[in-house]
Amino acid sequence: MSNNRADRAGLRNPKGIGVGGGRALRGALASGGFTTKIFFIIIITKSPPSLYNHPMQTPLYSPDEEMALMSRLWAPKIKDDPLSFVLYAFPWGQKGTPLENFTGPRKWQREVLSDLTAHIKQNNGKVDFDTFRMATSSGRGIGKSALVSWLTLWMLSTRIGSTTIISANSESQLRSVTWAEITKWLAMSLNSHWFEVSATRLMPAKWITEL
């Protein structure tokens, strides 16, 4: 991976942190202290062979840079704030990337991500977590699948070993839309090398589970 990716992450500059579907997205989210429980009803079936027929993932950065990336993604500023994760993890406005003409999520997507952040804060310290439920209905092309992808990658990145389940209206939609969208955003994320992509799931890469 080129150095500009590490530069964008602020890994070569400790001060450069730079943090700012189907018809329904349903979730139950609760948080207390250092733990957060989130369950997204999402079930993935299959991805094109080219997405998962690749060598085993290995670290992209130096040990110190990997530790810096972990520290940032696992700190409350990003771990408990999905909007901050989305703004930090993807190359918004970076020339030569698919996002070079975009500054960040759309207004409605930011509102959903901010609502999740507020809910996590409200649950902080609670033993009996309150449940977060949300549904959105719209036409095509407004970014529902992108939002599902961000939430999935945020959850898996900030809570290694957690489980995220995804569903859609049909198996065809899961294969051609949802799974393709998740793997597209994973490929653009700073920590894509943290995960192995199989036909039906994303798993933490072997190197990160052995730390």
Side-chain angles (χ1 to χ4, degrees), residues 21-172:
R23 295 183 180 176
L25 165 66
R26 294 187 289 271
L29 180 155
S31 174
F34 292 99
T35 61
T36 298
K37 295 182 180 178
I38 302 178
F39 305 93
F40 292 108
I41 301 184
I42 306 176
I43 292 175
I44 301 170
T45 57
K46 213 176 191 188
S47 62
S50 61
L51 292 174
Y52 56 85
N53 185 18
H54 57 73
M56 186 175 294
Q57 294 280 29
T58 58
L60 282 181
Y61 312 123
S62 72
D64 287 345
E65 289 169 346
E66 290 289 356
M67 288 299 295
L69 180 58
M70 292 174 187
S71 294
R72 291 186 179 180
L73 290 180
W74 297 342
K77 173 64 179 176
I78 291 180
K79 179 178 74 73
D80 294 338
D81 187 339
L83 177 57
S84 290
F85 171 83
V86 171
L87 292 173
Y88 179 69
F90 304 112
W92 302 102
Q94 183 174 318
K95 190 174 181 179
T97 72
L99 300 179
E100 65 177 319
N101 296 319
F102 299 90
T103 59
R106 294 176 174 174
K107 181 176 181 292
W108 79 269
Q109 293 168 324
R110 288 175 180 264
E111 290 173 351
V112 172
L113 295 170
S114 296
D115 286 348
L116 278 170
T117 299
H119 186 81
I120 291 172
K121 289 180 179 178
Q122 290 171 3
N123 271 330
N124 187 32
K126 289 185 178 180
V127 175
D128 186 12
F129 300 126
D130 295 328
T131 300
F132 179 89
R133 300 180 187 276
M134 191 216 78
T136 183
S137 178
S138 73
R140 296 181 178 179
I142 70 162
K144 296 188 299 298
S145 295
L147 178 63
V148 168
S149 300
W150 300 338
L151 291 172
T152 301
L153 296 175
W154 161 70
M155 181 68 182
L156 296 178
S157 296
T158 60
R159 294 152 178 87
I160 295 293
S162 61
T163 299
T164 301
I165 305 173
I166 303 175
S167 69
N169 293 333
S170 67
E171 181 180 3
S172 175

